[in-house]
Amino acid sequence: MQVIPLRWSRRSAEGPDMKAAVCTAYGPPEVLQVRDVPNPVPRAREVLIKIHASSVSASDTYIRDGGSIFPLPLWLLMRLVLGTRRPRKPILGLVLAGKVERAGKDVERFRAGDRVYGMTSLRLGAYAEYACLKETGTLARSPSNLTDDEAAALPYGGLLALHFLEKGGLRSGQRVLVYGASGAIGSAAIQIARIYGAQVTAACGPTNLDLVKALGAEAAIDYTRTSSPPGHFDLVLDAVGIRKTSALKVACRTALTPGGKYVSVDGGVPRMTRDHLAQLTAWAEAGKLKPVIDRRYPLDQIADAHRYVGQKHKKGNVIITVPHAVA
Ligand SMILES: NC(=O)c1ccc[n+]([C@@H]2O[C@H](COP(=O)([O-])OP(=O)(O)OC[C@H]3O[C@@H](n4cnc5c(N)ncnc54)[C@H](OP(=O)(O)O)[C@@H]3O)[C@@H](O)[C@H]2O)c1
């Protein structure tokens, strides 16, 4: 197999090679190709993580195709940040779960052998056998009761849902409507709003009504047949995001009580903090927050995973499993 030099990497290439899905250009799922690349090397305050699972989110598909769905200002910003003609960091992937293989010399929070999970954020790099993250990043010990696949299904939806629900001022006793309730963010938002003591109504497609009720929604609305009741909700979370139609935007607004608050998951850059990840861990270990997994694909079928997520109707999360030749 061809070994490609990571000229775009700021790391020195040393040691053996690893498998990674490399995004060769912005474009359709086929631009993702599994290749041998040099192993990353941790700096003093970084850990080298042996990745066992990652996930493919809506965001991953937008990054891969170069942001074609975004309005021009956002498209320009995205290209400036991620690379104008192709991704500057060609190994995509925002979420990882696995084990610390090696800790840099000044690392204090983790040691080799710790099971960890978290977000790579703008570093990307999770579609690979190994990645380096700063110990101060959005990284924590994995919930003790979850497998690596399950742990990889928590951070993206959970952190986004928590951020935007907090932004909406979520409180106990409120009536909350979650639109896009069957997706990664929506499925976490239902559960988090319930943990806060809210009454949750979930809007999703017809095949997902049972799923959202099982996650704790008191009522479920099939958005293809029924509108949400007008003037009823203290907080509306639009977890459909950038794909929403103008009719859906109107439906979200009219569902609010006069003093109610509308929050869209596309309303600004979310803060994904270590504190929030610790909160998700505690809820998962208490059995209050359960990851929803739709499908699993091995790393070498990453293009199929992107094709499926691109259909825009996954249930919860799509997981990438990362097999290792030496366990
Ligand atoms: N601010 C940020 O930085 C940031 C970061 C990440 C993501 N986001 C936004 O978050 C969005 C959601 O991400 P996700 O990963 O949770 O997506 P996802 O898992 O694909 O879920 C999308 C949800 O939208 C629903 N949906 C699809 N088409 C719909 C329509 N026409 N009308 C109503 N609902 C519809 C789906 O319901 P059914 O399948 O049941 O029909 C599903 O519940 C992304 O698209 C992006 O815009 C923003």
Side-chain angles (χ1 to χ4, degrees):
M1 184 163 297
Q2 182 199 7
V3 178
I4 56 166
L6 283 184
R7 273 181 312 226
W8 44 73
S9 169
R10 62 181 176 72
R11 294 176 206 292
S12 63
E14 61 176 62
D17 300 322
M18 66 168 180
K19 298 237 178 303
V22 174
C23 185
T24 51
Y26 291 125
E30 298 73 50
V31 298
L32 297 172
Q33 291 177 14
V34 176
R35 294 184 177 171
D36 283 357
V37 301
N39 254 339
V41 179
R43 290 179 172 170
R45 299 292 307 274
E46 291 180 344
V47 286
L48 174 69
I49 298 163
K50 184 174 189 177
I51 299 172
H52 291 147
S54 183
S55 75
V56 178
S57 64
S59 303
D60 295 53
T61 63
Y62 304 153
I63 294 171
R64 186 212 70 233
D65 93 343
S68 62
I69 195 171
F70 294 143
L72 185 61
L74 198 54
W75 180 87
L76 272 173
L77 181 66
M78 186 198 138
R79 291 290 184 110
L80 280 175
V81 172
L82 294 179
T84 46
R85 300 180 61 187
R86 67 176 183 185
R88 213 171 282 124
K89 295 182 191 299
I91 304 171
L92 309 186
L94 291 161
V95 174
L96 54 74
K99 202 187 264 187
V100 173
E101 179 81 0
R102 182 151 49 105
K105 70 178 178 52
D106 296 332
V107 168
E108 292 172 354
R109 290 180 62 221
F110 301 102
R111 58 181 134 165
D114 284 348
R115 287 186 63 226
V116 290
Y117 79 133
M119 302 277 303
T120 60
S121 302
L122 284 177
R123 286 182 163 224
L124 308 176
Y127 294 169
E129 289 186 301
Y130 294 91
C132 291
L133 283 188
K134 281 188 189 161
E135 67 162 334
T136 51
T138 313
L139 187 67
R141 284 189 182 74
S142 299
S144 53
N145 55 338
L146 298 188
T147 63
D148 291 316
D149 294 8
E150 290 167 336
L154 269 194
Y156 172 87
L159 291 172
L160 282 154
L162 183 53
H163 168 82
F164 286 107
L165 285 170
E166 283 191 345
K167 185 179 172 189
L170 175 67
R171 290 191 310 281
S172 177
Q174 283 185 322
R175 288 190 285 206
V176 175
L177 172 63
V178 178
Y179 247 98
S182 53
I185 303 173
S187 60
I190 296 172
Q191 299 181 74
I192 293 171
R194 291 284 288 143
I195 292 168
Y196 271 69
Q199 298 169 40
V200 181
T201 298
C204 59
T207 54
N208 292 323
L209 297 168
D210 289 341
L211 167 71
V212 297
K213 283 191 189 152
L215 293 174
E218 272 107 351
I221 295 172
D222 170 2
Y223 68 78
T224 65
R225 298 168 65 96
T226 321
S227 325
S228 42
H232 186 74
F233 295 99
D234 306 301
L235 174 61
V236 173
L237 177 71
D238 154 25
V240 178
I242 195 136
R243 302 164 182 160
K244 70 177 146 293
T245 57
S246 45
L248 192 150
K249 204 168 178 178
V250 172
C252 287
R253 298 267 183 200
T254 54
L256 288 170
T257 56
K261 195 151 181 186
Y262 166 79
V263 180
S264 165
V265 289
D266 281 313
V269 179
R271 260 177 5 103
M272 312 243 232
T273 67
R274 267 204 279 153
D275 288 355
H276 278 176
L277 191 61
Q279 183 62 80
L280 298 187
T281 308
W283 284 333
E285 288 183 339
K288 295 177 177 173
L289 179 60
K290 298 196 166 97
V292 177
I293 296 180
D294 182 345
R295 295 185 178 186
R296 293 171 173 83
Y297 293 84
L299 181 64
D300 61 5
Q301 290 172 24
I302 187 94
D304 291 335
H306 268 246
R307 228 167 268 124
Y308 179 64
V309 174
Q311 291 170 11
K312 304 176 181 174
H313 292 288
K314 70 179 163 64
K315 302 174 203 301
N317 299 271
V318 167
I319 297 303
I320 299 299
T321 56
V322 185
H324 289 260
V326 181

